[in-house]
């Protein structure tokens, strides 16, 4: 099996190519010598360089954590970082490794898939009940796969894309990389940095207290308001929680999270329900003591609650605001909802990873996971820079820009992958998995791949029930 070849062909490499991600984060290039990689060629098997992207995102995040850890521990030398392709590959499909009392997780709903249209393909996302209802309303059919397929077959891909979007649903037409590059949104995304970093004001420099050394927790004492959903944003805040941050996830009572998704990304966090329309005083109380606010809703969706970076910095000087979106905070698609699978389809990734029968997909939701680690790295670097220069900060990452980076990494050289099978999720070595009891049941889960000398290897807290905690800081 591929997992076996991955294990028996490990090669240690010093200073792997995480430099593009580290440069995008504004990191000191001399620190790259602190990073080494255990390369496993069978990991994240794909035509596109998914393994290299995943390694770079995790490596940059781990280096940002090690850099902040050194500052807080008062040491001159940044701890050594090791990025193991096996741990990275396992974490990038963490949702598939999850078991709750032995039960496999539910990932994609039946209507979340590729569909043939009159002139090509579309991919839909209907995991959430409200998205499923809007998709069916746009098509004018009942919840029956055959009826849905017949409705798609009568229309063009672009017609489906626009009509479903107009009803608030999610369907994206398959494009080639060239077609995406010529698209107005594709051009807007391509012109942006991989990680957007900005300074919002001249707030005073952050003063850190010293941290304990066993384990070394660079984000200890940092309070993070987590307003994210699905995978990318929660991966970022799950990583900050691993590193010691007090992460409080807030969700609207009107938008329940999918149980397995919550279990997978809820490690290290607390989860509370808060209606921003009616509980503004409670939110302002939380904000007044927060160090970081992470949002994962489409750009503009939270503006009516005065949650723009500028408005947050005005009320909480010195805050770090981290924003994650699918398509970016610019261009004609800035207001559109999106998910990893849909971004793969729009940007041409699905076309490149295709088979003779239908469009393909990456071996992991790598845009989600990769963007999540980049966002966490951006927060860590912002905290480090605040200690030197002060100022409230904003960090932005977009799945579509991460997709562009992956396509750039291919540089026109795509191997002919004849064996397109992926290793079975259950075949992952136990060293990259853990088991523990929780309020949700007995959990098997993937450990974090973010590793540096003296750092943590597991979360202190298992996930609890969705929305089961009070909306207050510890």
């Amino acid at each position: 099996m591929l997992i076996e070849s991955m294990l028996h062909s490990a090669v240690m490499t010093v200073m792997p190519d995480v430099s593009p991600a580290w440069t995008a984060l504004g990191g000191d290039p001399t620190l790259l010598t602190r990073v080494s990689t255990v390369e496993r060629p069978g990991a994240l098997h794909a035509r596109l360089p998914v393994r290299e992207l995943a390694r770079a995102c995790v490596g940059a995040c781990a280096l940002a954590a090690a850099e902040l850890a050194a500052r807080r521990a008062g040491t001159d030398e940044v701890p050594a970082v090791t990025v193991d392709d096996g741990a990275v590959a396992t974490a990038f499909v963490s949702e598939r490794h999850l078991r709750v009392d032995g039960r496999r997780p539910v990932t994609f709903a039946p209507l979340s898939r590729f569909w043939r249209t009159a002139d090509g393909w579309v991919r839909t996302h209907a995991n959430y009940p409200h998205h499923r209802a809007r998709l069916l309303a746009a098509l004018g059919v009942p919840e029956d796969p055959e009826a849905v397929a017949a409705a798609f077959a009568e229309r063009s891909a672009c017609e489906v894309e626009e009509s479903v979007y107009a009803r608030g649903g999610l369907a994206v037409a398959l494009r080639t990389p060239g077609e995406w590059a010529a698209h107005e949104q594709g051009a807007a995304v391509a012109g942006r940095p991989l990680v957007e970093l900005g300074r919002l004001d001249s707030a005073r420099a952050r003063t850190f207290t010293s941290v304990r050394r066993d384990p070394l927790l660079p984000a200890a004492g940092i309070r993070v308001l987590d307003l994210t959903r699905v995978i990318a944003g929660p991966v970022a805040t799950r990583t900050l929680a691993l590193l010691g941050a007090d992460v409080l996830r807030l969700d609207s009572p009107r938008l329940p999270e999918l149980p397995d998704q919550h279990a997978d990304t809820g490690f290290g966090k607390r989860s509370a329900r808060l209606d921003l329309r009616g509980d503004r005083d409670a939110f302002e109380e939380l904000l007044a003591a927060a160090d970081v606010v992470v949002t994962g809703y489409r750009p503009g969706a939270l503006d009516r609650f005065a949650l723009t970076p500028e408005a947050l910095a005005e009320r909480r000087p010195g805050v770090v605001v981290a924003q994650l979106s699918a398509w970016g905070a610019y261009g004609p698609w800035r207001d559109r909802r999106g998910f990893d699978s849909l971004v793969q389809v729009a940007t041409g990734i699905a076309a490149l990873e295709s088979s003779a029968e239908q469009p393909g997909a990456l071996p992991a939701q790598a845009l989600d996971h990769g963007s999540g680690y980049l966002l966490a790295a951006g927060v860590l670097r912002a905290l480090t820079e605040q200690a030197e220069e002060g100022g409230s900060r904003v960090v932005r990452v977009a799945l579509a820009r991460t997709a562009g980076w992956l396509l750039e990494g291919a540089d026109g050289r795509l191997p002919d992958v004849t064996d397109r099978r992926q290793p079975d999720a259950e075949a992952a070595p136990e060293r990259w998995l853990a088991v523990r009891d929780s309020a949700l049941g007995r959990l098997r889960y993937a450990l974090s791949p973010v590793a540096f000398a003296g750092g943590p290897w597991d979360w202190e807290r298992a996930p609890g029930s969705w929305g089961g905690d009070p909306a207050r800081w510890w």
Side-chain angles (χ1 to χ4, degrees):
M1 292 184 64
L2 288 174
I3 193 72
E4 292 172 352
S5 63
M6 183 179 84
L7 284 172
H8 296 299
S9 58
V11 177
M12 176 67 79
T13 302
V14 178
M15 196 176 161
D17 193 15
V18 301
S19 57
W22 187 242
T23 299
L25 291 162
D28 179 356
T30 65
L31 294 183
L32 289 168
T33 59
R34 303 300 298 157
V35 184
S36 60
T37 288
V38 180
E39 296 188 18
R40 302 182 189 275
L44 297 173
H45 190 59
R47 296 191 74 200
L48 289 164
V50 180
R51 177 170 59 103
E52 291 78 5
L53 175 138
R55 178 197 302 156
C57 293
V58 170
C61 184
L63 185 55
E67 177 190 35
L68 182 58
R71 172 177 286 277
R72 297 198 64 182
T75 60
D76 293 330
E77 187 172 66
V78 170
V81 169
T82 300
V83 187
D84 191 311
D85 282 349
V88 173
T90 303
F92 265 57
V93 290
S94 62
E95 63 275 11
R96 293 184 221 165
H97 291 297
L98 177 72
R99 298 290 182 272
V100 182
D101 288 331
R103 178 184 60 80
R104 289 175 177 270
V106 176
T107 51
F108 285 97
L111 297 186
S112 297
R113 47 170 274 202
F114 285 106
W115 305 87
R116 276 196 181 275
T117 63
D119 63 347
W121 293 88
V122 296
R123 181 153 188 172
T124 55
H125 195 289
N127 287 3
Y128 287 99
H130 58 293
H131 290 155
R132 182 164 58 251
R134 292 167 185 172
L135 171 66
L136 296 171
L139 297 176
V141 298
E143 191 173 341
D144 172 54
E146 290 187 6
V148 172
F152 279 130
E154 296 174 352
R155 311 179 191 189
S156 71
C158 287
E159 178 189 353
V160 169
E161 181 179 85
E162 292 304 319
S163 62
V164 172
Y165 167 70
R167 295 297 294 267
L170 291 150
V172 172
L174 177 70
R175 292 175 172 83
T176 66
E179 288 169 338
W180 178 247
H183 192 279
E184 191 175 350
Q185 186 63 31
V189 170
R192 297 286 177 153
L194 177 61
V195 181
E196 295 186 60
L197 306 168
R199 182 169 174 168
L200 298 168
D201 57 28
S202 57
R204 66 184 182 184
R206 181 178 295 275
T207 302
F208 284 115
T209 57
S210 59
V211 292
R212 73 185 195 195
R213 294 170 179 262
D214 186 24
L216 187 55
L217 300 174
I222 298 297
R223 287 175 166 172
V224 178
L225 276 180
D226 179 2
L227 280 67
T228 69
R229 292 175 68 79
V230 197
I231 296 176
V235 164
T237 51
R238 182 180 70 183
T239 303
L240 295 174
L242 172 81
L243 300 171
D246 178 5
V247 179
L248 177 61
R249 173 165 166 169
L250 299 178
D251 282 286
S252 167
R254 297 173 291 106
L255 292 174
E257 182 58 286
L258 302 175
D260 291 339
Q261 205 159 254
H262 167 72
D264 175 48
T265 60
F267 283 88
K269 313 177 192 178
R270 290 177 298 126
S271 170
R273 284 173 280 184
L274 188 72
D275 190 341
L276 291 176
R277 296 177 302 180
D279 297 328
R280 289 309 304 276
D281 289 345
F283 178 81
E284 294 301 322
E285 223 176 284
L286 292 169
L287 176 62
D291 300 289
V292 178
V293 178
V294 186
T295 67
Y297 294 80
R298 59 193 170 89
L302 299 177
D303 289 1
R304 67 186 185 278
F305 301 115
L307 297 182
T308 64
E310 294 77 13
L312 289 168
E314 184 176 347
R315 304 202 301 284
R316 175 60 168 158
V319 71
V320 175
V321 182
Q323 297 182 316
L324 187 286
S325 64
W327 306 108
Y330 30 74
W333 282 18
R334 68 179 301 274
D335 295 327
R336 295 200 178 194
R337 299 172 180 87
F339 294 90
D340 179 300
S341 58
L342 302 182
V343 176
Q344 288 189 39
V345 171
T347 58
I349 289 172
L352 292 177
E353 291 287 342
S354 65
S355 67
E357 293 77 28
Q358 69 172 45
L362 299 176
Q365 295 187 69
L367 307 182
D368 264 334
H369 286 271
S371 297
Y373 289 111
L374 286 176
L375 194 69
V379 170
L380 295 166
R381 289 248 58 248
L383 292 170
T384 296
E385 291 186 350
Q386 281 184 328
E388 300 170 354
E389 306 167 3
S392 302
R393 305 282 171 149
V394 61
V395 182
R396 290 192 181 95
V397 173
L399 302 188
R401 184 64 188 90
T402 304
W405 183 37
L406 176 62
L407 291 165
E408 291 163 11
D411 194 25
R413 300 187 301 273
L414 295 178
D416 179 17
V417 179
T418 55
D419 183 356
R420 305 193 59 79
R421 295 172 299 163
Q422 295 303 318
D424 188 328
E426 290 203 77
E430 293 301 316
R431 62 178 138 161
W432 299 321
L433 299 173
V435 176
R436 69 163 70 176
D437 292 320
S438 75
L440 304 177
R442 190 157 181 81
L443 302 179
R444 188 194 80 170
Y445 58 97
L447 293 169
S448 175
V450 175
F452 58 92
W457 68 277
D458 198 355
W459 291 270
E460 290 189 359
R461 176 186 173 91
S465 60
W466 177 79
D469 295 301
R472 63 171 182 264
W473 297 116
W474 271 335

